[in-house]
Amino acid sequence: MCGIVGYIGNREATPIILDGLTKLEYRGYDSAGVCTITGGEAEIRRSEGKLANLVRLVDEMPLLGNVGIGHTRWATHGRPSETNAHPHQAGSVVIVHNGIIENYPELKGELKRLGHTFKSETDTEIISHLIEHKMKIGIGFEQSVRQTLRELKGSYALCILCEDEPETLIAAKYGSPLVVGLGEREFFVASDIPAILSHTRSMVFMEDGEVAIFREGEVAFSTVKGQPVIKNPRHIDWSPLMAEKGGYRHFMIKEIHEQPRAVQDTIAGRLAEEDATVYLEDLRLSDEELASFGRICIVACGTSWHAALVGKFYLEEHCRIPVEVDIASEFRYRNPVVSETTLVMAISQSGETADTLAAVREAKKRGAKTVAVCNVVESSIARETDGVIYTHAGPEIGVASTKAFVTQLVALYLFAIKFGRTTGAIGREKGEAMIGALVRLPALMEETLHLDSQVESIARRYMHARDFLYLGRGINYPIALEGSLKLKEISYIHAEGYPAGEMKHGPIALIDENMPVVVLAPKNEHYEKVVSNMEEVIARGGRVIALCSAGESGIVEKAEVVLKIPMDGDDLTPILYTVPLQLLAYHVSVLKGSDVDQPRNLAKSVTVE
């Protein structure tokens, strides 16, 4: 949600900033802008709409200078417009901001009483005015920034320039992500790694309440009060090519096809087949601590919440421990019952999801141990939890999550094996079988991807439907939820996922000859009941798209369309059945002409509440 890029060094800043903003488009935005300082004067270019509009504007009116800041805005305060786009300038001070300033009405009112005039409807503009006001009364640029930060309530990631100190860039963070890239006497600042990965692999992740001052080819990190902070750079293994399309039409289809590799990378080095257990190098919980938990609570949002629901099945089925799944945005507002004997797991692709981060902090405040399932090293959630299970999906650019979701499922399955083997709930023979299924999974996913052309034909057949219903039972019910979410996210078709057994409790009233119903029917203990639900749909004229196990023939004559999915036990069907549902959503979206990678109104990482 929103994107920041800053640069200071010996090169022209504008191309670096625009390239970085392009790599942050997946975060979602409605306007964009850039500012550089040259000859002691700040020049700003801003435009509403896509980044291409800003690029054209800069081509017509070039920006020169070796220091600059850029921004893609996702509207919170004030409608999308050129006026509300960042950067914002007050006097000599120019600023870009991610986050929400909660006390901006009071601050704005006071500034107005002091004679300040505002041009935009944003909360951000008050920050530039606060800094400018302090500088007018004789306080230096750096100290004016520090004093201003102490007055702000809410969340922020900031990059700040000043015409009076044209060779200085200041960055600050509280509650919104910010990463610093280190070069040879040049520095990069961004909201996320892909924006600067083509320039450096050496990254410093800023913590809440930290300030970075860049000047004279050096950077100094400190607290808001000015106390020095020592930061250790991290080497990022992602290659720049991992964040490029690589010949695919869209990032989403590229990332769908990367899933076998992402799963292989997530299990690599973690499977100890000789003793049928799992090594989770960053879990940082001893076997004694794992065995002490009497209950697990998983918190997540959106697609990650669907992964959490599958994780509940894994842990309760194999480890016999009660698991509760919470939508993170509800968790901290319901006075949750957690204690020292509760393990709270937080799932977030980015590790920056504001509601999930708040849930982690609430759980820690109540004495619970916390573990993150996360794709981004050194993200906020990864740093604040007691342990981490990193997924190794690589950068995911498409807003609709694909490879991050399946690697979350794999991480949860790994954790279930680890937990069960530690507590004795999973014996050696069973552990070997579970590990063997994981080893075979990438090949089965590759086989499932061969259904792509068949799924595209199905998409052409049903693309004009106004509504879809997705049905599943047991461990595959969350996949019905995920499949419907993917379709509505990127094609804007109304879709709902339901437990198949709940169909008669309401959704059946909607079924007619115009409604496609996607039924997940793997050959497992629920198969006969799912087929019964499917026949109820057919009896009411519903158009059934059935996903069943390869080799199954009984369902073929009943459904309008059948997709046969490879199967290797019941546990990993959620992952295999996810793939064709992702492909269905993708192809419907493409055929309808929707913006697949950047669907309207959505952001990749929801970093504000």
Side-chain angles (χ1 to χ4, degrees), residues 437 440-452 454 476 521-523 547-552 563-580:
R440 294 186 294 271
L441 179 60
L444 292 175
M445 295 179 74
E446 290 281 7
E447 185 180 340
T448 306
L449 283 166
H450 294 159
L451 297 169
D452 192 7
Q454 190 177 345
N476 291 298
K523 190 72 172 180
L547 279 65
C548 68
S549 303
E552 178 58 34
L563 284 170
K564 294 191 174 183
I565 316 299
M567 189 167 179
D568 186 6
D570 196 31
D571 281 350
L572 301 180
T573 54
I575 296 171
L576 294 170
Y577 277 60
T578 291
V579 174

mmCIF file of all heavy atoms in Angstrom, residues 437 440-452 454 476 521-523 547-552 563-580:
data_model
loop_
_atom_site.group_PDB
_atom_site.id
_atom_site.type_symbol
_atom_site.label_atom_id
_atom_site.label_comp_id
_atom_site.label_asym_id
_atom_site.label_seq_id
_atom_site.Cartn_x
_atom_site.Cartn_y
_atom_site.Cartn_z
ATOM 1 N N ALA A 437 5.525 -37.345 1.106
ATOM 2 C CA ALA A 437 4.512 -36.630 0.330
ATOM 3 C C ALA A 437 5.007 -35.240 -0.059
ATOM 4 O O ALA A 437 4.769 -34.775 -1.182
ATOM 5 C CB ALA A 437 3.218 -36.542 1.126
ATOM 6 N N ARG A 440 7.461 -35.418 -2.974
ATOM 7 C CA ARG A 440 6.820 -35.685 -4.267
ATOM 8 C C ARG A 440 5.967 -34.521 -4.760
ATOM 9 O O ARG A 440 5.585 -34.468 -5.930
ATOM 10 C CB ARG A 440 5.942 -36.937 -4.154
ATOM 11 C CG ARG A 440 6.721 -38.215 -3.909
ATOM 12 C CD ARG A 440 5.835 -39.444 -3.959
ATOM 13 N NE ARG A 440 4.856 -39.490 -2.881
ATOM 14 C CZ ARG A 440 5.073 -40.032 -1.683
ATOM 15 N NH1 ARG A 440 6.263 -40.560 -1.405
ATOM 16 N NH2 ARG A 440 4.131 -40.048 -0.759
ATOM 17 N N LEU A 441 5.662 -33.576 -3.886
ATOM 18 C CA LEU A 441 4.715 -32.509 -4.202
ATOM 19 C C LEU A 441 5.111 -31.647 -5.401
ATOM 20 O O LEU A 441 4.272 -31.386 -6.272
ATOM 21 C CB LEU A 441 4.479 -31.640 -2.959
ATOM 22 C CG LEU A 441 3.527 -30.466 -3.120
ATOM 23 C CD1 LEU A 441 2.131 -30.932 -3.532
ATOM 24 C CD2 LEU A 441 3.453 -29.646 -1.834
ATOM 25 N N PRO A 442 6.346 -31.142 -5.514
ATOM 26 C CA PRO A 442 6.658 -30.272 -6.657
ATOM 27 C C PRO A 442 6.387 -30.923 -8.010
ATOM 28 O O PRO A 442 5.876 -30.270 -8.935
ATOM 29 C CB PRO A 442 8.148 -29.970 -6.463
ATOM 30 C CG PRO A 442 8.364 -30.083 -4.989
ATOM 31 C CD PRO A 442 7.484 -31.228 -4.565
ATOM 32 N N ALA A 443 6.698 -32.202 -8.144
ATOM 33 C CA ALA A 443 6.440 -32.897 -9.411
ATOM 34 C C ALA A 443 4.942 -32.982 -9.690
ATOM 35 O O ALA A 443 4.502 -32.824 -10.845
ATOM 36 C CB ALA A 443 7.057 -34.292 -9.378
ATOM 37 N N LEU A 444 4.146 -33.212 -8.672
ATOM 38 C CA LEU A 444 2.690 -33.268 -8.859
ATOM 39 C C LEU A 444 2.138 -31.895 -9.231
ATOM 40 O O LEU A 444 1.177 -31.791 -10.008
ATOM 41 C CB LEU A 444 2.027 -33.783 -7.584
ATOM 42 C CG LEU A 444 2.292 -35.251 -7.232
ATOM 43 C CD1 LEU A 444 1.678 -35.598 -5.882
ATOM 44 C CD2 LEU A 444 1.740 -36.167 -8.318
ATOM 45 N N MET A 445 2.735 -30.846 -8.690
ATOM 46 C CA MET A 445 2.312 -29.497 -9.062
ATOM 47 C C MET A 445 2.635 -29.199 -10.523
ATOM 48 O O MET A 445 1.841 -28.576 -11.241
ATOM 49 C CB MET A 445 2.962 -28.467 -8.138
ATOM 50 C CG MET A 445 2.517 -28.574 -6.692
ATOM 51 S SD MET A 445 3.326 -27.363 -5.640
ATOM 52 C CE MET A 445 2.463 -25.870 -6.141
ATOM 53 N N GLU A 446 3.806 -29.644 -10.965
ATOM 54 C CA GLU A 446 4.157 -29.493 -12.381
ATOM 55 C C GLU A 446 3.137 -30.209 -13.261
ATOM 56 O O GLU A 446 2.695 -29.681 -14.302
ATOM 57 C CB GLU A 446 5.556 -30.061 -12.645
ATOM 58 C CG GLU A 446 6.692 -29.264 -12.058
ATOM 59 C CD GLU A 446 7.047 -28.037 -12.867
ATOM 60 O OE1 GLU A 446 6.312 -27.718 -13.833
ATOM 61 O OE2 GLU A 446 8.060 -27.393 -12.539
ATOM 62 N N GLU A 447 2.746 -31.392 -12.857
ATOM 63 C CA GLU A 447 1.742 -32.151 -13.603
ATOM 64 C C GLU A 447 0.411 -31.406 -13.634
ATOM 65 O O GLU A 447 -0.266 -31.350 -14.668
ATOM 66 C CB GLU A 447 1.582 -33.529 -12.963
ATOM 67 C CG GLU A 447 0.662 -34.465 -13.716
ATOM 68 C CD GLU A 447 0.537 -35.819 -13.039
ATOM 69 O OE1 GLU A 447 1.433 -36.164 -12.233
ATOM 70 O OE2 GLU A 447 -0.454 -36.522 -13.306
ATOM 71 N N THR A 448 0.048 -30.811 -12.516
ATOM 72 C CA THR A 448 -1.219 -30.069 -12.443
ATOM 73 C C THR A 448 -1.192 -28.843 -13.353
ATOM 74 O O THR A 448 -2.212 -28.472 -13.949
ATOM 75 C CB THR A 448 -1.490 -29.647 -10.988
ATOM 76 O OG1 THR A 448 -1.443 -30.802 -10.139
ATOM 77 C CG2 THR A 448 -2.863 -29.004 -10.854
ATOM 78 N N LEU A 449 -0.044 -28.208 -13.478
ATOM 79 C CA LEU A 449 0.076 -27.037 -14.347
ATOM 80 C C LEU A 449 -0.169 -27.377 -15.814
ATOM 81 O O LEU A 449 -0.478 -26.483 -16.619
ATOM 82 C CB LEU A 449 1.454 -26.396 -14.176
ATOM 83 C CG LEU A 449 1.645 -25.561 -12.904
ATOM 84 C CD1 LEU A 449 3.125 -25.268 -12.674
ATOM 85 C CD2 LEU A 449 0.847 -24.266 -12.978
ATOM 86 N N HIS A 450 -0.061 -28.647 -16.188
ATOM 87 C CA HIS A 450 -0.347 -29.048 -17.563
ATOM 88 C C HIS A 450 -1.826 -28.891 -17.910
ATOM 89 O O HIS A 450 -2.196 -28.989 -19.088
ATOM 90 C CB HIS A 450 0.085 -30.504 -17.784
ATOM 91 C CG HIS A 450 1.561 -30.708 -17.699
ATOM 92 N ND1 HIS A 450 2.155 -31.929 -17.441
ATOM 93 C CD2 HIS A 450 2.592 -29.826 -17.818
ATOM 94 C CE1 HIS A 450 3.468 -31.786 -17.403
ATOM 95 N NE2 HIS A 450 3.755 -30.523 -17.633
ATOM 96 N N LEU A 451 -2.663 -28.624 -16.917
ATOM 97 C CA LEU A 451 -4.091 -28.390 -17.158
ATOM 98 C C LEU A 451 -4.373 -26.973 -17.655
ATOM 99 O O LEU A 451 -5.527 -26.627 -17.898
ATOM 100 C CB LEU A 451 -4.884 -28.638 -15.867
ATOM 101 C CG LEU A 451 -4.869 -30.058 -15.299
ATOM 102 C CD1 LEU A 451 -5.466 -30.062 -13.897
ATOM 103 C CD2 LEU A 451 -5.634 -31.008 -16.216
ATOM 104 N N ASP A 452 -3.338 -26.163 -17.798
ATOM 105 C CA ASP A 452 -3.526 -24.743 -18.097
ATOM 106 C C ASP A 452 -4.415 -24.498 -19.307
ATOM 107 O O ASP A 452 -5.358 -23.706 -19.260
ATOM 108 C CB ASP A 452 -2.153 -24.086 -18.307
ATOM 109 C CG ASP A 452 -2.222 -22.562 -18.333
ATOM 110 O OD1 ASP A 452 -3.295 -22.000 -18.052
ATOM 111 O OD2 ASP A 452 -1.193 -21.936 -18.622
ATOM 112 N N GLN A 454 -6.561 -26.453 -20.715
ATOM 113 C CA GLN A 454 -7.913 -26.931 -20.442
ATOM 114 C C GLN A 454 -8.674 -25.928 -19.582
ATOM 115 O O GLN A 454 -9.855 -25.647 -19.810
ATOM 116 C CB GLN A 454 -7.841 -28.295 -19.741
ATOM 117 C CG GLN A 454 -9.180 -28.997 -19.614
ATOM 118 C CD GLN A 454 -9.038 -30.371 -18.976
ATOM 119 O OE1 GLN A 454 -7.930 -30.921 -18.881
ATOM 120 N NE2 GLN A 454 -10.151 -30.934 -18.536
ATOM 121 N N ASN A 476 -10.463 -29.123 2.368
ATOM 122 C CA ASN A 476 -10.565 -28.378 1.114
ATOM 123 C C ASN A 476 -11.613 -27.277 1.148
ATOM 124 O O ASN A 476 -11.742 -26.533 0.165
ATOM 125 C CB ASN A 476 -10.845 -29.342 -0.038
ATOM 126 C CG ASN A 476 -9.652 -30.226 -0.315
ATOM 127 O OD1 ASN A 476 -8.584 -29.744 -0.661
ATOM 128 N ND2 ASN A 476 -9.819 -31.519 -0.119
ATOM 129 N N ALA A 521 -13.845 -32.150 -5.302
ATOM 130 C CA ALA A 521 -14.283 -33.499 -4.929
ATOM 131 C C ALA A 521 -13.155 -34.510 -5.043
ATOM 132 O O ALA A 521 -13.231 -35.459 -5.837
ATOM 133 C CB ALA A 521 -15.459 -33.914 -5.808
ATOM 134 N N PRO A 522 -12.085 -34.355 -4.258
ATOM 135 C CA PRO A 522 -11.036 -35.382 -4.267
ATOM 136 C C PRO A 522 -11.571 -36.689 -3.676
ATOM 137 O O PRO A 522 -12.536 -36.691 -2.901
ATOM 138 C CB PRO A 522 -9.948 -34.777 -3.377
ATOM 139 C CG PRO A 522 -10.667 -33.834 -2.479
ATOM 140 C CD PRO A 522 -11.809 -33.286 -3.284
ATOM 141 N N LYS A 523 -10.947 -37.768 -4.053
ATOM 142 C CA LYS A 523 -11.386 -39.090 -3.575
ATOM 143 C C LYS A 523 -10.874 -39.295 -2.156
ATOM 144 O O LYS A 523 -9.801 -39.850 -1.913
ATOM 145 C CB LYS A 523 -10.847 -40.176 -4.498
ATOM 146 C CG LYS A 523 -11.441 -41.549 -4.238
ATOM 147 C CD LYS A 523 -12.889 -41.652 -4.703
ATOM 148 C CE LYS A 523 -13.396 -43.082 -4.611
ATOM 149 N NZ LYS A 523 -14.789 -43.214 -5.057
ATOM 150 N N LEU A 547 -13.729 -30.589 -9.812
ATOM 151 C CA LEU A 547 -12.321 -30.955 -9.690
ATOM 152 C C LEU A 547 -12.266 -32.244 -8.904
ATOM 153 O O LEU A 547 -12.751 -32.302 -7.755
ATOM 154 C CB LEU A 547 -11.520 -29.866 -8.969
ATOM 155 C CG LEU A 547 -11.065 -28.656 -9.788
ATOM 156 C CD1 LEU A 547 -12.246 -27.846 -10.287
ATOM 157 C CD2 LEU A 547 -10.133 -27.784 -8.969
ATOM 158 N N CYS A 548 -11.726 -33.303 -9.526
ATOM 159 C CA CYS A 548 -11.709 -34.601 -8.862
ATOM 160 C C CYS A 548 -10.345 -35.248 -9.018
ATOM 161 O O CYS A 548 -9.462 -34.729 -9.710
ATOM 162 C CB CYS A 548 -12.814 -35.503 -9.420
ATOM 163 S SG CYS A 548 -12.544 -36.002 -11.134
ATOM 164 N N SER A 549 -10.176 -36.401 -8.403
ATOM 165 C CA SER A 549 -8.892 -37.104 -8.436
ATOM 166 C C SER A 549 -8.687 -37.755 -9.786
ATOM 167 O O SER A 549 -9.619 -38.284 -10.401
ATOM 168 C CB SER A 549 -8.843 -38.165 -7.337
ATOM 169 O OG SER A 549 -9.060 -37.584 -6.073
ATOM 170 N N ALA A 550 -7.438 -37.719 -10.261
ATOM 171 C CA ALA A 550 -7.101 -38.406 -11.497
ATOM 172 C C ALA A 550 -7.453 -39.888 -11.374
ATOM 173 O O ALA A 550 -7.212 -40.509 -10.337
ATOM 174 C CB ALA A 550 -5.616 -38.237 -11.801
ATOM 175 N N GLY A 551 -8.044 -40.433 -12.408
ATOM 176 C CA GLY A 551 -8.456 -41.831 -12.368
ATOM 177 C C GLY A 551 -9.889 -42.022 -11.929
ATOM 178 O O GLY A 551 -10.446 -43.111 -12.080
ATOM 179 N N GLU A 552 -10.518 -40.984 -11.403
ATOM 180 C CA GLU A 552 -11.914 -41.083 -10.965
ATOM 181 C C GLU A 552 -12.828 -40.905 -12.172
ATOM 182 O O GLU A 552 -12.716 -39.937 -12.925
ATOM 183 C CB GLU A 552 -12.208 -40.002 -9.914
ATOM 184 C CG GLU A 552 -13.639 -39.976 -9.421
ATOM 185 C CD GLU A 552 -14.075 -41.298 -8.821
ATOM 186 O OE1 GLU A 552 -13.251 -41.992 -8.208
ATOM 187 O OE2 GLU A 552 -15.257 -41.639 -8.996
ATOM 188 N N LEU A 563 -12.191 -31.450 -14.212
ATOM 189 C CA LEU A 563 -10.728 -31.342 -14.204
ATOM 190 C C LEU A 563 -10.187 -32.422 -13.283
ATOM 191 O O LEU A 563 -10.603 -32.511 -12.118
ATOM 192 C CB LEU A 563 -10.283 -29.970 -13.699
ATOM 193 C CG LEU A 563 -10.422 -28.791 -14.647
ATOM 194 C CD1 LEU A 563 -10.167 -27.488 -13.891
ATOM 195 C CD2 LEU A 563 -9.446 -28.918 -15.812
ATOM 196 N N LYS A 564 -9.274 -33.246 -13.792
ATOM 197 C CA LYS A 564 -8.729 -34.336 -12.989
ATOM 198 C C LYS A 564 -7.354 -33.937 -12.452
ATOM 199 O O LYS A 564 -6.441 -33.609 -13.210
ATOM 200 C CB LYS A 564 -8.643 -35.609 -13.821
ATOM 201 C CG LYS A 564 -10.035 -36.122 -14.220
ATOM 202 C CD LYS A 564 -9.980 -37.507 -14.803
ATOM 203 C CE LYS A 564 -11.400 -38.026 -15.047
ATOM 204 N NZ LYS A 564 -11.397 -39.434 -15.552
ATOM 205 N N ILE A 565 -7.243 -33.976 -11.120
ATOM 206 C CA ILE A 565 -6.066 -33.485 -10.411
ATOM 207 C C ILE A 565 -5.285 -34.667 -9.838
ATOM 208 O O ILE A 565 -5.885 -35.567 -9.233
ATOM 209 C CB ILE A 565 -6.475 -32.550 -9.253
ATOM 210 C CG1 ILE A 565 -7.561 -31.567 -9.691
ATOM 211 C CG2 ILE A 565 -5.250 -31.829 -8.688
ATOM 212 C CD1 ILE A 565 -7.186 -30.647 -10.808
ATOM 213 N N PRO A 566 -3.962 -34.711 -9.985
ATOM 214 C CA PRO A 566 -3.189 -35.798 -9.367
ATOM 215 C C PRO A 566 -3.350 -35.786 -7.856
ATOM 216 O O PRO A 566 -3.605 -34.735 -7.258
ATOM 217 C CB PRO A 566 -1.754 -35.503 -9.792
ATOM 218 C CG PRO A 566 -1.730 -34.063 -10.161
ATOM 219 C CD PRO A 566 -3.097 -33.739 -10.684
ATOM 220 N N MET A 567 -3.186 -36.939 -7.249
ATOM 221 C CA MET A 567 -3.414 -37.025 -5.803
ATOM 222 C C MET A 567 -2.364 -37.920 -5.175
ATOM 223 O O MET A 567 -1.954 -38.927 -5.751
ATOM 224 C CB MET A 567 -4.819 -37.562 -5.529
ATOM 225 C CG MET A 567 -5.244 -37.505 -4.068
ATOM 226 S SD MET A 567 -7.014 -37.785 -3.870
ATOM 227 C CE MET A 567 -7.164 -37.696 -2.090
ATOM 228 N N ASP A 568 -1.927 -37.519 -3.972
ATOM 229 C CA ASP A 568 -0.955 -38.312 -3.219
ATOM 230 C C ASP A 568 -1.314 -38.181 -1.748
ATOM 231 O O ASP A 568 -0.647 -37.495 -0.987
ATOM 232 C CB ASP A 568 0.457 -37.816 -3.496
ATOM 233 C CG ASP A 568 1.531 -38.700 -2.859
ATOM 234 O OD1 ASP A 568 1.170 -39.759 -2.307
ATOM 235 O OD2 ASP A 568 2.712 -38.329 -2.901
ATOM 236 N N GLY A 569 -2.410 -38.808 -1.352
ATOM 237 C CA GLY A 569 -2.908 -38.652 0.011
ATOM 238 C C GLY A 569 -3.774 -37.414 0.116
ATOM 239 O O GLY A 569 -3.833 -36.577 -0.790
ATOM 240 N N ASP A 570 -4.435 -37.257 1.249
ATOM 241 C CA ASP A 570 -5.408 -36.169 1.417
ATOM 242 C C ASP A 570 -4.767 -34.864 1.864
ATOM 243 O O ASP A 570 -5.247 -33.775 1.535
ATOM 244 C CB ASP A 570 -6.466 -36.594 2.451
ATOM 245 C CG ASP A 570 -7.701 -35.724 2.394
ATOM 246 O OD1 ASP A 570 -8.026 -35.227 1.306
ATOM 247 O OD2 ASP A 570 -8.337 -35.527 3.450
ATOM 248 N N ASP A 571 -3.647 -34.921 2.609
ATOM 249 C CA ASP A 571 -3.085 -33.736 3.246
ATOM 250 C C ASP A 571 -2.731 -32.622 2.263
ATOM 251 O O ASP A 571 -2.915 -31.440 2.563
ATOM 252 C CB ASP A 571 -1.814 -34.101 4.018
ATOM 253 C CG ASP A 571 -2.124 -34.744 5.361
ATOM 254 O OD1 ASP A 571 -3.303 -34.733 5.766
ATOM 255 O OD2 ASP A 571 -1.183 -35.254 5.995
ATOM 256 N N LEU A 572 -2.208 -32.986 1.106
ATOM 257 C CA LEU A 572 -1.686 -31.981 0.197
ATOM 258 C C LEU A 572 -2.631 -31.665 -0.958
ATOM 259 O O LEU A 572 -2.272 -30.917 -1.871
ATOM 260 C CB LEU A 572 -0.308 -32.408 -0.319
ATOM 261 C CG LEU A 572 0.720 -32.626 0.806
ATOM 262 C CD1 LEU A 572 2.063 -33.034 0.248
ATOM 263 C CD2 LEU A 572 0.870 -31.387 1.686
ATOM 264 N N THR A 573 -3.856 -32.205 -0.914
ATOM 265 C CA THR A 573 -4.843 -31.817 -1.932
ATOM 266 C C THR A 573 -5.139 -30.316 -1.903
ATOM 267 O O THR A 573 -5.394 -29.736 -2.971
ATOM 268 C CB THR A 573 -6.159 -32.608 -1.784
ATOM 269 O OG1 THR A 573 -6.660 -32.467 -0.446
ATOM 270 C CG2 THR A 573 -5.963 -34.077 -2.098
ATOM 271 N N PRO A 574 -5.115 -29.635 -0.738
ATOM 272 C CA PRO A 574 -5.353 -28.188 -0.787
ATOM 273 C C PRO A 574 -4.377 -27.454 -1.705
ATOM 274 O O PRO A 574 -4.768 -26.506 -2.394
ATOM 275 C CB PRO A 574 -5.171 -27.756 0.676
ATOM 276 C CG PRO A 574 -5.514 -28.963 1.468
ATOM 277 C CD PRO A 574 -5.000 -30.113 0.655
ATOM 278 N N ILE A 575 -3.122 -27.904 -1.730
ATOM 279 C CA ILE A 575 -2.125 -27.246 -2.575
ATOM 280 C C ILE A 575 -2.372 -27.566 -4.044
ATOM 281 O O ILE A 575 -2.393 -26.677 -4.906
ATOM 282 C CB ILE A 575 -0.710 -27.665 -2.149
ATOM 283 C CG1 ILE A 575 -0.441 -27.183 -0.719
ATOM 284 C CG2 ILE A 575 0.341 -27.139 -3.121
ATOM 285 C CD1 ILE A 575 0.827 -27.706 -0.105
ATOM 286 N N LEU A 576 -2.598 -28.834 -4.356
ATOM 287 C CA LEU A 576 -2.796 -29.233 -5.750
ATOM 288 C C LEU A 576 -4.090 -28.666 -6.329
ATOM 289 O O LEU A 576 -4.131 -28.256 -7.492
ATOM 290 C CB LEU A 576 -2.781 -30.758 -5.855
ATOM 291 C CG LEU A 576 -1.430 -31.402 -5.518
ATOM 292 C CD1 LEU A 576 -1.568 -32.908 -5.401
ATOM 293 C CD2 LEU A 576 -0.382 -31.044 -6.565
ATOM 294 N N TYR A 577 -5.150 -28.604 -5.528
ATOM 295 C CA TYR A 577 -6.430 -28.098 -6.032
ATOM 296 C C TYR A 577 -6.434 -26.572 -6.137
ATOM 297 O O TYR A 577 -7.242 -25.995 -6.861
ATOM 298 C CB TYR A 577 -7.581 -28.585 -5.138
ATOM 299 C CG TYR A 577 -8.035 -29.985 -5.489
ATOM 300 C CD1 TYR A 577 -7.137 -31.057 -5.420
ATOM 301 C CD2 TYR A 577 -9.324 -30.250 -5.901
ATOM 302 C CE1 TYR A 577 -7.536 -32.347 -5.740
ATOM 303 C CE2 TYR A 577 -9.730 -31.529 -6.237
ATOM 304 C CZ TYR A 577 -8.822 -32.577 -6.153
ATOM 305 O OH TYR A 577 -9.209 -33.853 -6.495
ATOM 306 N N THR A 578 -5.520 -25.938 -5.435
ATOM 307 C CA THR A 578 -5.403 -24.483 -5.538
ATOM 308 C C THR A 578 -4.950 -24.054 -6.933
ATOM 309 O O THR A 578 -5.408 -23.041 -7.469
ATOM 310 C CB THR A 578 -4.406 -23.961 -4.484
ATOM 311 O OG1 THR A 578 -4.978 -24.110 -3.185
ATOM 312 C CG2 THR A 578 -4.063 -22.495 -4.709
ATOM 313 N N VAL A 579 -4.068 -24.831 -7.542
ATOM 314 C CA VAL A 579 -3.446 -24.431 -8.812
ATOM 315 C C VAL A 579 -4.472 -24.193 -9.919
ATOM 316 O O VAL A 579 -4.477 -23.125 -10.546
ATOM 317 C CB VAL A 579 -2.368 -25.450 -9.236
ATOM 318 C CG1 VAL A 579 -1.821 -25.120 -10.616
ATOM 319 C CG2 VAL A 579 -1.241 -25.488 -8.207
ATOM 320 N N PRO A 580 -5.374 -25.141 -10.216
ATOM 321 C CA PRO A 580 -6.347 -24.872 -11.284
ATOM 322 C C PRO A 580 -7.318 -23.743 -10.943
ATOM 323 O O PRO A 580 -7.806 -23.056 -11.852
ATOM 324 C CB PRO A 580 -7.078 -26.206 -11.464
ATOM 325 C CG PRO A 580 -6.801 -26.981 -10.233
ATOM 326 C CD PRO A 580 -5.481 -26.528 -9.729
#
